[in-house]
Amino acid sequence: MESVHETNASSRTRIEHFPSSNISQTHRTSIVKFLKEHFVHELMPPSGISVIFDSELNVGCAFYALQEQEIIEAPIWDSSSQRLIGMLTVSTFIEVLLHNSDAENHVNADIGAQTIKDWLDALGRLKEQFITVDPDASLYSACEYLRKYRVHRLPVIEEQGDDQCVLFVVDYLKILHFLLRQLGTQSDPLSRTIGELGVGAQDNVVTCSLNTTLIQVLHLLYQNNITSIPVVDENGVVLDLISRVDFLCLAREHAYRDLNITVGKTIELRNRILHAQSEPQQQQQQQHQSN
């Protein structure tokens, strides 16, 4: 069978199905109480930068900048209206690929030269409500927005008259990290395993194989609104993982024009690109150590 990378069979994981959620009502109530008593601004990092893209920016440059900054999303500023109009994310890129692929699953090579605003307009995003959250909103409200609008992240915006200030972006992971810091990993139910709690996908786990095509993976990610898909063999053993973030890597190298390539080839390409990008950093570290 085709191999993506070397690994011991014993280290591979089989997809398992867990029982329904076992979180007691008492634990649910305590977590809800915690989320209602804490606020979005408490998640704000003590220092950092906010990356914001102008809507007229070339999307090829925008995705290059996302990877350079090691982020997966950025708010979009429209100079004509002097307002924020949306978010540029990996999900946006996936939608554009699906929108611009032809009957033979080939993508127009010129899409990277279009502006962000062109993309948003083609997808109908400019007509949609831009969902943000106030820094003084509760974490519970932030979770409600994330779930209600089926989004993975929310820009935290402070309104100052007619001006908008982007403080940072909040997502489920930041909220979970905050929970862990405040409650500790030993608190119940955070001390219990995912299997014991029944957290995550319970049935019909979406998977793919090394021979699944890239266009099929794009449809699976988009239609199921999921961030990643386990790559399994014929016995259900997990070989690797392909995620939305991988397409950010492919976007930078313009390696998305033929969506008929297999997942196996895509993973090989991803690993090769990441290895090439990490080499200069490794060389700098070695030089620093030698000095």
Side-chain angles (χ1 to χ4, degrees):
M1 184 182 67
E2 182 179 3
S3 172
V4 178
H5 55 76
E6 292 185 0
T7 180
N8 294 327
S10 59
S11 67
R12 294 179 176 175
T13 307
R14 185 181 301 278
I15 294 290
E16 299 289 351
H17 298 279
F18 298 125
S20 58
S21 178
N22 292 320
I23 304 177
S24 70
Q25 187 59 44
T26 301
H27 293 138
R28 289 180 185 274
T29 301
S30 65
I31 291 178
V32 168
K33 182 175 182 293
F34 175 88
L35 293 174
K36 288 183 175 180
E37 291 177 347
H38 291 271
F39 303 94
V40 171
H41 63 77
E42 296 180 64
L43 275 61
M44 190 166 136
S47 63
I49 60 173
S50 293
V51 177
I52 304 174
F53 293 146
D54 189 280
S55 61
E56 296 300 324
L57 181 65
N58 174 302
V59 291
C61 295
F63 280 110
Y64 182 89
L66 285 180
Q67 194 171 47
E68 283 295 303
Q69 295 294 326
E70 297 183 345
I71 56 177
I72 59 175
E73 78 285 310
I76 304 165
W77 176 262
D78 183 50
S79 298
S80 60
S81 64
Q82 293 291 295
R83 305 292 291 177
L84 293 164
I85 59 173
M87 293 281 290
L88 181 71
T89 68
V90 182
S91 300
T92 313
F93 180 61
I94 289 175
E95 289 185 70
V96 169
L97 289 180
L98 291 173
H99 184 80
N100 287 277
S101 59
D102 58 25
E104 297 179 349
N105 300 325
H106 294 149
V107 178
N108 188 332
D110 295 331
I111 65 169
Q114 299 173 5
T115 67
I116 297 174
K117 196 169 185 176
D118 289 337
W119 273 21
L120 295 180
D121 187 37
L123 295 173
R125 292 289 181 269
L126 297 179
K127 299 178 181 179
E128 296 179 354
Q129 181 184 5
F130 180 39
I131 309 300
T132 65
V133 66
D134 189 90
D136 292 325
S138 69
L139 294 180
Y140 183 82
S141 295
C143 289
E144 279 193 318
Y145 288 161
L146 288 167
R147 184 173 181 178
K148 177 180 178 180
Y149 295 104
R150 293 176 63 83
V151 293
H152 298 290
R153 54 196 62 83
L154 289 168
V156 181
I157 307 296
E158 186 174 48
E159 301 279 353
Q160 300 173 343
D162 293 332
D163 297 329
Q164 292 179 310
C165 178
V166 181
L167 301 179
F168 66 108
V169 177
V170 66
D171 55 26
Y172 284 123
L173 188 59
K174 288 186 176 71
I175 295 173
L176 181 57
H177 282 169
F178 183 76
L179 269 170
L180 292 173
R181 288 198 305 270
Q182 297 296 318
L183 300 181
T185 57
Q186 300 306 312
S187 61
D188 204 353
L190 298 180
S191 62
R192 298 164 67 185
T193 67
I194 292 175
E196 291 172 336
L197 295 176
V199 174
Q202 306 303 318
D203 299 300
N204 302 318
V205 177
V206 177
T207 63
C208 67
S209 73
L210 292 172
N211 294 320
T212 304
T213 62
L214 200 53
I215 186 67
Q216 291 174 317
V217 169
L218 289 172
H219 280 295
L220 288 172
L221 289 169
Y222 180 70
Q223 293 171 357
N224 293 282
N225 193 32
I226 52 179
T227 58
S228 59
I229 301 175
V231 183
V232 301
D233 65 11
E234 61 276 9
N235 297 315
V237 175
V238 178
L239 305 175
D240 212 308
L241 192 73
I242 188 162
S243 70
R244 291 174 183 255
V245 179
D246 292 331
F247 290 93
L248 182 59
C249 177
L250 298 180
R252 172 173 172 170
E253 302 296 327
H254 303 287
Y256 50 76
R257 295 172 184 172
D258 183 6
L259 301 180
N260 293 307
I261 66 172
T262 65
V263 167
K265 294 297 183 183
T266 302
I267 291 174
E268 289 178 3
L269 178 60
R270 175 202 66 190
N271 293 344
R272 188 161 63 247
I273 292 172
L274 293 177
H275 177 71
Q277 292 174 354
S278 65
E279 278 187 336
Q281 296 178 350
Q282 294 174 352
Q283 291 174 356
Q284 289 179 357
Q285 292 176 353
Q286 291 174 356
Q287 291 177 355
H288 179 73
Q289 292 174 353
S290 62
N291 293 334

